[in-house]
Amino acid sequence: MTTPYDDMWEKLNLDLAAHEGLLQVLGKFYGDIYLSQSGRLKGMEYLDFVLSEVHGLRIRELQEAKARGQKVIGTFCVFVPEELTLAADAIQVGLCAGAEIGKEAAEKILPRNTCALIKSFVGFKLARLCPYIESCDLIVGETTCDGKKKAYEIFADYAPVYVMEIPQMKQACDSNLWKAEIARFKDEIERVTGHTITAAKLKEAIKLVNARRTVLQRLNRLRAAAPAPISGRDALLINQISFYDDPVRFTAKIGELCDELEESVKAGQGIAPQDAPRLLLSGCPMAVPNWKLPFVVESSGAVIVGEESCIGTRNIRDLVDESGDTLEAMLEAIADRYLRIDCACFTPNPERLKHIVDLARDLKADGVIHYGLSFCQPYAMEAFKVEKALQDAGIPLLNIETDYSMEDVEQLKTRVEAFVEMLH
Ligand code: SF4
Ligand code: SF4
C-alpha cells in the first residue's frame, strides 16, 4: 500500500516493507484496544488522530522544522531536561521503545536476558523501523540502569549518542555531580544546535514544560472521581503522546479534554460502573504501543485510575521552580526538580514507597498492580519494599512481571481476574 509519506520514509532510510508491517500491527492493536471502547470522550478524537499520524504528520512536522534549521533531540528517559533543549530552539522527542518488532535484530547483539525496552530501542534502530530515531540529530542516553548504559555504547556505533551521568544516591555530593551534568548537557545542546541558551529563553522553556505538567496533573486529579471519568488506557495514551507531540498544542488540547472531563464528573458520569475496582499501576514505564497490561486489567472488570510510572505521575509530579531570573538560578532549579525523580535506579529510594501509598489513597485505589519488565532488576527488586509499604497501609498488591510478547496474555488475565475478584 502506498501512502503520501513513502518518499519521506525512504529518505529517512526506513526499511519500507518492515515499516509497513509495523504500522499494520499498530493499527490493528489500536483498533482492538482503543477504538473498541464505548462511551469515549470527544476530546479523545485528537489523540486518535495524533496516533493515526504517529509516523506521518508529526514526522513531517519534524522534517519541516529541521529544514528551518531546528535540531531534533531524542531521549529514552525522563531525566533529560527538556527545558534546555527547548531553550536552544530544538525539539525533544521521547523515543518509544514499546514494541517487540525489532527483537530478533536486537538479540543478535544483546544478551537474551535484557529487558524488552532496551531490546526494543536497539531493535528499532537495527531494523530501520523508527522515523523518530532516524530524525534525531542527537540521542541522549543516561546511566540509569546497567542494561541501558551498556546498550548505549553499542547504540553509539549506529547513531549520534550523548550520555548523561545520573547519580545513584541523593546526597550532597550526588547533587553536585548532577548539577555539573546539567551544565555539561547545556554545553552539548548549545554545541549541537549552535544556539546559546539565554536566561530569557530558558525562563520561557521552563514555563512551557511546567504548563504541560500542570495540565497532566489536572487530568490525574480528575481521575480521583468515582465513577472514573476516563479509562486508564486513554490516560496512558495521553501520557505517551505527551512525549512526542508539540508541547503547546498538546497542552491546549488536553486542557479542552479536561474541561469535558470536569463536566462528566459534575454530572456523575463515568466510563466504568461506580463499583468497578479501582487500580493503580506502579513500576516500569509503558512506552507506545505497550498497552497489553492496561487492556488485560480493563477487560477484567477493573478500571485503572493512575500510573505511578515515568509515563505517568513520576514524570509530572514536580514542577521546576519558576521564580529564578538568572541562568544560574534556573539551572539550579532544573537540577533540583530532576533529582526529585524517584526511579528505582536510586538507592535507597524511600520517596517512591511513600509516593505510591499517597497516590493510591488520593485516587481511592482499591489495589495496586506492580508492573516490572522481565529482566528489569531495579523495579523487580524494589517490588519487595513496595509490597511491604502497601501491606502496612492495608492496600492489596499484585506483582506482575512481563514483556512485550502476547504469549502470556491468557495467564495474565487469569491472575488479574482473580485479583479483581478479590477486591469486589
Ligand atoms: S524508570 Fe528510571 S530509567 Fe526508566 S525512564 Fe524512568 S527515570 Fe528513566
Ligand atoms: S525497564 Fe528496567 S532494565 Fe529496562 S531500561 Fe528501564 S530501568 Fe533499565
Side-chain angles (χ1 to χ4, degrees):
M1 195 180 79
T2 57
T3 79
Y5 301 117
D6 284 354
D7 282 355
M8 177 176 78
W9 292 331
E10 202 159 5
K11 276 194 201 125
L12 286 169
N13 194 28
L14 296 190
D15 177 336
L16 289 186
H19 180 250
E20 161 86 18
L22 169 67
L23 288 188
Q24 274 180 11
V25 172
L26 189 67
K28 158 110 185 45
F29 218 40
Y30 194 72
D32 292 349
I33 294 182
Y34 279 93
L35 302 177
S36 62
Q37 298 177 95
S38 56
R40 277 174 100 215
L41 301 151
K42 183 140 182 18
M44 287 308 296
E45 283 171 11
Y46 172 69
L47 284 304
D48 290 341
F49 174 70
V50 171
L51 200 96
S52 70
E53 286 289 338
V54 59
H55 282 192
L57 259 188
R58 184 60 181 142
I59 297 296
R60 180 162 283 164
E61 285 180 351
L62 295 184
Q63 297 311 314
E64 286 167 358
K66 280 166 76 88
R68 291 192 301 270
Q70 283 184 278
K71 301 292 179 193
V72 177
I73 312 294
T75 65
F76 288 110
C77 172
V78 298
F79 261 101
V80 184
E82 188 174 354
E83 291 84 352
L84 291 169
T85 306
L86 294 173
D89 199 27
I91 299 169
Q92 188 160 305
V93 287
L95 299 167
C96 56
E100 209 186 15
I101 202 153
K103 185 175 158 197
E104 227 168 80
E107 284 186 348
K108 287 200 179 119
I109 57 170
L110 297 177
R112 272 199 59 243
N113 57 351
T114 302
C115 93
L117 195 141
I118 297 173
K119 275 187 203 163
S120 178
F121 77 70
V122 172
F124 267 57
K125 176 69 201 170
L126 295 179
R128 295 190 288 125
L129 286 167
C130 175
Y132 288 90
I133 293 181
E134 304 307 328
S135 299
C136 285
D137 297 286
L138 184 72
I139 292 178
V140 186
E142 15 54 51
T143 59
T144 40
C145 69
D146 287 351
K148 263 187 173 177
K149 81 182 173 214
K150 297 310 284 182
Y152 293 132
E153 288 176 26
I154 300 172
F155 205 69
D157 289 342
Y158 302 90
V161 171
Y162 171 87
V163 176
M164 292 184 84
E165 164 79 323
I166 312 290
Q168 308 274 293
M169 298 177 94
K170 295 187 179 176
Q171 305 182 50
C173 56
D174 303 302
S175 157
N176 289 337
L177 164 75
W178 181 233
K179 278 179 205 156
E181 275 304 285
I182 298 267
R184 195 171 67 90
F185 179 62
K186 172 177 165 289
D187 291 348
E188 176 67 4
I189 288 291
E190 289 182 335
R191 185 193 67 75
V192 171
T193 59
H195 293 303
T196 303
I197 295 175
T198 62
K201 281 272 187 191
L202 189 53
K203 194 157 183 93
E204 208 183 302
I206 289 175
K207 286 196 174 139
L208 177 57
V209 184
N210 272 350
R212 187 181 58 207
R213 292 186 185 117
T214 305
V215 82
L216 289 169
Q217 287 175 355
R218 180 179 170 210
L219 170 72
N220 279 350
R221 278 196 303 275
L222 287 162
R223 296 169 74 193
I230 183 168
S231 71
R233 266 168 286 178
D234 281 338
L236 175 65
L237 181 70
I238 292 169
N239 278 287
Q240 290 172 333
I241 287 179
S242 73
F243 283 87
Y244 68 85
D245 197 10
D246 173 79
V248 175
R249 178 174 61 203
F250 174 86
T251 304
K253 287 291 180 189
I254 303 308
E256 287 168 21
L257 178 80
C258 286
D259 294 341
E260 196 187 342
L261 279 173
E262 225 156 59
E263 292 304 314
S264 310
V265 171
K266 268 190 217 146
Q269 288 162 353
I271 44 80
Q274 176 93 23
D275 63 349
R278 301 165 64 86
L279 295 177
L280 171 67
L281 292 185
S282 167
C284 288
M286 290 179 177
V288 180
N290 178 10
W291 303 310
K292 179 171 78 171
L293 188 58
F295 177 61
V296 166
V297 171
E298 294 197 329
S299 44
S300 301
V303 60
I304 298 165
V305 291
E307 299 77 25
E308 187 278 322
S309 148
C310 284
I311 303 191
T313 51
R314 203 177 302 129
N315 186 36
I316 55 143
R317 183 182 48 236
D318 302 309
L319 302 182
V320 174
D321 180 1
E322 293 185 7
S323 63
D325 284 319
T326 63
L327 208 47
E328 212 180 23
M330 285 184 259
L331 290 173
E332 178 104 21
I334 288 173
D336 179 66
R337 183 265 167 205
Y338 280 84
L339 205 54
R340 274 184 269 157
I341 296 171
D342 54 356
C343 173
C345 297
F346 283 95
T347 182
N349 195 26
E351 299 95 325
R352 177 164 173 246
L353 306 180
K354 182 177 175 333
H355 285 144
I356 297 171
V357 172
D358 289 351
L359 193 59
R361 286 187 175 139
D362 290 348
L363 295 171
K364 303 179 200 82
D366 300 301
V368 173
I369 296 189
H370 193 273
Y371 158 74
L373 272 173
S374 309
F375 309 119
C376 169
Q377 288 192 348
Y379 282 91
M381 296 248 184
E382 202 157 277
F384 178 78
K385 287 224 158 199
V386 172
E387 182 157 22
K388 173 88 184 50
L390 286 167
Q391 233 167 36
D392 292 348
I395 303 168
L397 172 116
L398 174 68
N399 191 6
I400 300 262
E401 262 190 51
T402 182
D403 58 16
Y404 297 164
S405 93
M406 299 308 270
E407 278 165 21
D408 61 351
V409 165
E410 284 311 313
Q411 190 203 343
L412 285 178
K413 222 170 167 355
T414 309
R415 291 187 62 205
V416 169
E417 276 170 2
F419 185 61
V420 171
E421 187 57 41
M422 184 198 86
L423 298 174
H424 258 299

